[in-house]
Amino acid sequence: MSSWDNWVEESLHKLERLQLLRSLRPIYLCHDPQTTTTVEDGLQVFHDMQLWDRASVEVHIPEATFQNWLSDIPSSGDEEDTRKFRKLLLFSGNDYLGLSSHPTIGNAAAKAAQEHGMGPRGSALICGYTDYHRRLESSLADLKKKEDCLLCPTGFAANMALMVVLGNIGSLLAAGKTPLTNEKIAIFSDELNHASIIDGIRLAERQKSVQIFIYRHCDMIHLNALLSSCTMQKKVVVTDSLFSMDGDFAPMIELVKLRKQHDFLLVIDDAHGTFVCGKNGGGVAEEFHCEKDVDICVGTLSKAAGCHGGFIACSKRWKQLIQSRGRSFIFSTATPLPIAAAAHAAVIVARKETWRRRAIWSRVQDFRALTGIPINSPIISLIVGSEQKALQASRRLLKSGFHVTAIRPPTVPPNSCRLRVTLSATHTRADIERFTTALSNCVNFQEIGIHGSNGYARL
C-alpha cells in the first residue's frame, strides 16, 4: 500500500470509531435482472452526423435580445417580444461532441421519467441513490479505469467535496485538536485552476488542516522547487487537465515524473477532457497514457456528455471517505433520475460514436490551418485585453451570425479579457471557414500567438 492508501485507511478507521462512516444503499427501481445487460444493447447509435445534430450548434434568440446585445444594454432575460428571431451559430458552448441533441440520450431521459418520474427526492445518503445512479457510476469508473466512482450534483460540487475531504484527513489524523504543521496536508495547485478547486481549497484552509502552495501555470520547475522545499509528508497536487479559459493541457508526463519523485497524490479535474480526449474518450490521462498514475479524476457530465452532474473517479476507500465527509455531496439532493439515465446513455453513445472525436479534432486542424494560430485543443483563447475591446469583438461576430461571448473579470484577470471560442464535432468545415473569415475582421491572425495565457490578439 502507498502512503496515501494508509492515510485514507487510518481516516476511515477513525470515522468508524466515531460512528461517522456513511453508506450508499441503492433503491432498485428496475426489478428485471436482465436490465443491466440489455440497456447498452438497446441504445441506438449513429456512424455519422445527422440532421438533428445541428441543433447543438444552431440557436435562435429574440430580435429584441439581439438588438440589446448589440447595444450592450443589460438584460435579465425578460424580453417579451418573441415574434421575430435571429439564428446564430454557437461557438461558445461546452457541448464538444454535440450530444445534447442526441435522440438516444433524450429518449433515455424520457423513458426514465415516464416510468419513474423524477425518482426519489432526497440526498444520496438518504433515499436519492438508485440503481440508475449506480449504473452511471460503474460506467464512469470503467471509462476512467478506476475502481469506483461517486456521482455528485455538479462538477463544482465534486471538486468542493474532494478538497474539503483532503482537509478532513489532516484533522482526523492529527494527534491534537489542531494539526501541527507536519500533520497538515500540503496542497499544490496550478494558479489557473478552476474556481471550484480554488473555492474548495479555501474551505479546506478554514479547517486549519491544510497548507496551500500555488505554482505558476504549468511550470514544473516551480512546482518541483515547491515540492522539494516542503517538509510535510502528505502532499497533493491538483490541476485542471485541460484548462477551460486557456485551452492548454497540463504537462501530464512531467507531472507523472514528479509524482514518482515526490510521492504525492495526483488529482486532475478532467471536466473539458472527458469524452473528448483519448481513443475511448477516457480523457486527458488516456490521451497521455498515464491513467494509472492519476490517483483521483474529477469530471463533469454537463460538457461533452451533453447532460448534467459531476463525478469523482477513485478507489472504493476514497469513495467511502468522500461520501462520509464531502459536505457538498452529503447535503445536496441526488441527481434527478432522468438525468442519471440520460448521462448513462451519453457515456455509452460517446464511447461508441467514435466519429464524434475524430470530427472535433478535424475541426481543430481546420481552424489551425485557416488561421495559422497554433491551437492544440477545441478551446481557443483569444485575449484582446480590455473589456471594451472584447465586447466590441463579440458584437462584431454577433452581427455576422456567430454566438461568441466576451469573457471578462472576475472569470479572468483584468486586462486579459478574451473571446473564448469553442469547437464542436457538429461544426462543419464550412462553418469553420465562415467563422474564421468573420473572426479575421476582429483579430489579426499574424499578430497572435496562443500559448497558455500568453496569447494576445489585437483588434
Side-chain angles (χ1 to χ4, degrees), residues 288-300:
F288 288 92
H289 310 290
C290 59
E291 290 162 299
K292 291 181 180 179
D293 298 292
V294 173
D295 297 291
I296 298 177
C297 180
V298 178
T300 180

Side-chain angles (χ1 to χ4, degrees), residues 36-299:
T36 55
T37 57
T38 58
V39 166
E40 182 167 341
D41 296 336
L43 295 179
Q44 186 177 15
V45 295
F46 302 86
H47 301 294
D48 52 22
M49 193 186 300
Q50 306 295 310
L51 286 176
W52 40 259
D53 272 313
R54 294 293 288 176
S56 64
V57 291
E58 292 178 350
V59 297
H60 297 80
I61 64 173
E63 180 67 24
T65 301
F66 180 83
Q67 295 300 334
N68 286 344
W69 191 350
L70 282 182
S71 303
D72 198 25
I73 297 173
S75 169
S76 58
D78 59 349
E79 286 86 353
E80 294 181 358
D81 186 358
T82 55
R83 290 170 296 180
K84 187 177 180 183
F85 290 85
R86 290 278 185 141
K87 180 180 175 180
L88 300 174
L89 196 57
L90 200 62
F91 274 92
S92 55
N94 292 325
D95 185 11
Y96 300 114
L97 299 187
L99 293 182
S100 65
S101 61
H102 201 293
T104 297
I105 295 167
N107 289 340
K111 183 174 184 293
Q114 288 169 351
E115 293 180 0
H116 309 293
M118 299 306 288
R121 294 290 74 209
S123 69
L125 293 178
I126 296 178
C127 66
Y129 187 70
T130 71
D131 51 326
Y132 281 80
H133 298 83
R134 182 60 218 159
R135 271 201 299 276
L136 175 55
E137 288 179 338
S138 296
S139 66
L140 290 167
D142 289 343
L143 179 74
K144 293 297 184 178
K145 300 293 189 294
K146 292 290 178 278
E147 188 181 15
D148 212 332
C149 178
L150 182 67
L151 191 63
C152 295
T154 63
F156 203 107
N159 272 324
M160 293 283 282
L162 178 56
M163 295 303 112
V164 167
V165 167
L166 289 172
N168 264 252
I169 292 175
S171 300
L172 287 167
L173 301 186
K177 288 186 177 180
T178 303
L180 302 174
T181 299
N182 63 344
E183 293 176 319
K184 292 182 178 182
I185 311 295
I187 300 180
F188 299 82
S189 176
D190 189 291
E191 66 176 343
L192 295 187
N193 274 342
H194 190 263
S196 56
I197 295 175
I198 295 168
D199 287 359
I201 287 174
R202 286 172 177 167
L203 271 181
E205 199 170 21
R206 293 192 65 177
Q207 302 174 42
K208 299 181 179 179
S209 56
V210 304
Q211 190 167 333
I212 312 303
F213 301 86
I214 307 299
Y215 62 91
R216 291 188 291 272
H217 180 51
C218 290
D219 188 336
M220 295 298 97
I221 295 175
H222 188 213
L223 175 58
N224 185 42
L226 291 173
L227 288 164
S228 299
S229 61
C230 178
T231 58
M232 301 160 70
Q233 273 190 306
K234 304 179 186 72
K235 299 182 180 73
V236 181
V237 172
V238 57
T239 180
D240 284 15
S241 59
L242 174 54
F243 287 85
S244 62
M245 282 298 136
D246 295 270
D248 56 340
F249 290 97
M252 296 301 298
I253 303 305
E254 290 85 350
L255 282 167
V256 168
K257 290 177 182 177
L258 287 178
R259 176 179 176 269
K260 292 175 181 176
Q261 181 182 341
H262 295 284
D263 193 28
F264 56 73
L265 187 81
L266 179 56
V267 177
I268 66 169
D269 179 356
D270 205 22
H272 296 268
T274 301
F275 304 113
V276 174
C277 300
K279 181 181 178 181
N280 301 300
V284 173
E286 184 189 18
E287 180 72 26
F288 288 92
H289 310 290
C290 59
E291 290 162 299
K292 291 181 180 179
D293 298 292
V294 173
D295 297 291
I296 298 177
C297 180
V298 178

Side-chain angles (χ1 to χ4, degrees), residues 293-332:
D293 298 292
V294 173
D295 297 291
I296 298 177
C297 180
V298 178
T300 180
L301 299 164
S302 61
K303 294 179 173 61
C307 296
H308 188 77
F311 63 88
I312 305 170
C314 54
S315 70
K316 288 186 178 297
R317 302 303 272 165
W318 265 108
K319 178 180 180 178
Q320 191 171 23
L321 185 58
I322 299 166
Q323 73 189 36
S324 298
R325 302 304 290 167
R327 291 171 64 86
S328 59
F329 165 79
I330 294 169
F331 296 103
S332 293

